[in-house]
Amino acid sequence: MAGTVRPFYALVRDPKSPDGRIRSQEPEKNKYLIRYKDHLNRWRSEIFEGKRSSAENRLQQIQVVVGEILAKERPAPEAERRLVDAFDEYCNWLKGDGKKDSTIIRYQYSFSAFIKNGLRSSQVRDITVRDINNFRSKRESEVSKESLYIDLRHLRAFFNWCKRMRYLLESPMVNERFESQDKPIRFLTEDELVRLYQVLESDLEMKDLVKFYICTGARAAELLPPRFTWSNVYEDKIRLLTKRDKVRHVGLTQEMIEILESRKELLAPFPYKYPAVYRRIVMKAYKDAGIKGANIHSLRKTAGSRLVQKGVDIYRVSAFLGHSSVRVTEKHYAELLPSNYENLAEIIESGLPDTQKQYQFVPNQ
């Protein structure tokens, strides 16, 4: 039965391309790549840590299992996996892959909606295109088009993972394609902010956190442990760890300093976990304030929109929010400045000849 054990070469950063990856020149110590053919005659791979002799023993064990499946002495993996168990395993895999809690929670919402749709079977292998279409039809009447696409993208990623794990032979969403959606940014209006702060009078901990989210433009995890601790707080500013481990500093207002002073006995300025923050702000405070279609990230969008609407230069806004380039900022906020474009046109026009006057054309002699 075909199979190999080879030294494992990790992918490392390409010095010629910041976002690129190349294979390292040296193999990793005590790490091997096991390649084998499964019961469907498809090549599979597995990374093994340990001695080479142990990796070779592992290959032999896999080959024995494949042989038993072919001889029908053992059920195939895709024949015995419950949908909910597979999804729990998938969530654990997402955590191990470094996905944020907020991302995993959103996957869980999508999966829960799918389960509640009334599936004909609880086994991964039995999910069909018909189940996906039924879910799409029902979900269209419950959520926005963008939310539906998010649900479908999450389900597609899950079923693709199930295929890689050999829990099914083919994803029921293999032919799903999604249109690119340019959705308008969702920020809180002045009226919504007033209602939100009124509701948060009964939850002062979250009121302080919302204040910091808006005044710093921080992403959800950037103000929570382990990214944000007392070591990030200075006398008149704080240090935020952003995407790709970049750092940005934000100045503190007097009210923000007083909030931090009142919390100095705590283990961290905001010692909460994201799921609890999401429940208290989005699921309770937003709901009680009548705020729809917003999440915690909307507070960051609110910070950016307020700066832009108050006439702050787009380059300064981009630097404040820590965007990778000013193009990202323009994509999100340029539409908030139609009056500015009109004003600039007036400035240009003021130095031009009056087109309403009649000029006599004199050709060159």
Side-chain angles (χ1 to χ4, degrees), residues 185 213-219 222 240-244 246-250 297-308 313-326 328-330 332-333:
I185 64 169
Y213 275 133
I214 294 177
C215 290
T216 64
R219 298 176 180 88
E222 292 172 4
L240 298 178
L241 301 178
T242 67
K243 284 184 175 181
R244 293 175 288 276
K246 292 183 178 180
V247 175
R248 69 182 180 98
H249 293 86
V250 180
H297 200 69
S298 301
L299 299 174
R300 171 175 164 85
K301 300 294 188 183
T302 300
S305 65
R306 289 175 70 85
L307 289 174
V308 171
D313 183 87
I314 196 74
Y315 289 93
R316 293 180 63 195
V317 176
S318 181
F320 174 78
L321 295 175
H323 284 160
S324 57
S325 74
V326 73
V328 177
T329 317
E330 290 175 334
H332 289 310
Y333 301 106

Side-chain angles (χ1 to χ4, degrees), residues 186-200 210 281-296 298-299 302:
R186 177 63 168 102
F187 58 89
L188 303 190
T189 64
E190 291 287 344
D191 182 59
E192 288 175 328
L193 285 173
V194 170
R195 299 202 308 269
L196 177 61
Y197 277 117
Q198 289 174 345
V199 167
L200 287 174
V210 166
I281 294 179
V282 178
M283 299 181 70
K284 186 174 191 313
Y286 281 5
K287 181 179 179 180
D288 292 346
I291 298 172
K292 299 180 180 180
N295 53 28
I296 293 179
S298 301
L299 299 174
T302 300

Side-chain angles (χ1 to χ4, degrees), residues 112-121 127 130-131 134-135 138:
S112 296
F114 182 63
I115 291 294
K116 292 177 182 177
N117 192 52
L119 301 176
R120 292 172 298 134
S121 173
I127 303 301
R130 176 181 168 186
D131 293 308
N134 288 342
F135 171 71
K138 182 178 179 181

Side-chain angles (χ1 to χ4, degrees), residues 127-140:
I127 303 301
T128 65
V129 175
R130 176 181 168 186
D131 293 308
I132 303 301
N133 290 338
N134 288 342
F135 171 71
R136 182 200 296 268
S137 298
K138 182 178 179 181
R139 196 69 168 152
E140 281 177 338

Side-chain angles (χ1 to χ4, degrees), residues 241-287:
L241 301 178
T242 67
K243 284 184 175 181
R244 293 175 288 276
D245 295 326
K246 292 183 178 180
V247 175
R248 69 182 180 98
H249 293 86
V250 180
L252 295 171
T253 65
Q254 184 58 40
E255 183 179 352
M256 294 166 72
I257 293 174
E258 292 173 359
I259 289 174
L260 291 173
E261 282 291 325
S262 69
R263 308 174 70 82
K264 60 184 179 182
E265 300 299 325
L266 301 176
L267 295 177
F270 302 103
Y272 318 115
K273 293 185 177 180
Y274 178 82
V277 171
Y278 186 90
R279 286 194 299 269
R280 293 167 71 177
I281 294 179
V282 178
M283 299 181 70
K284 186 174 191 313
Y286 281 5
K287 181 179 179 180

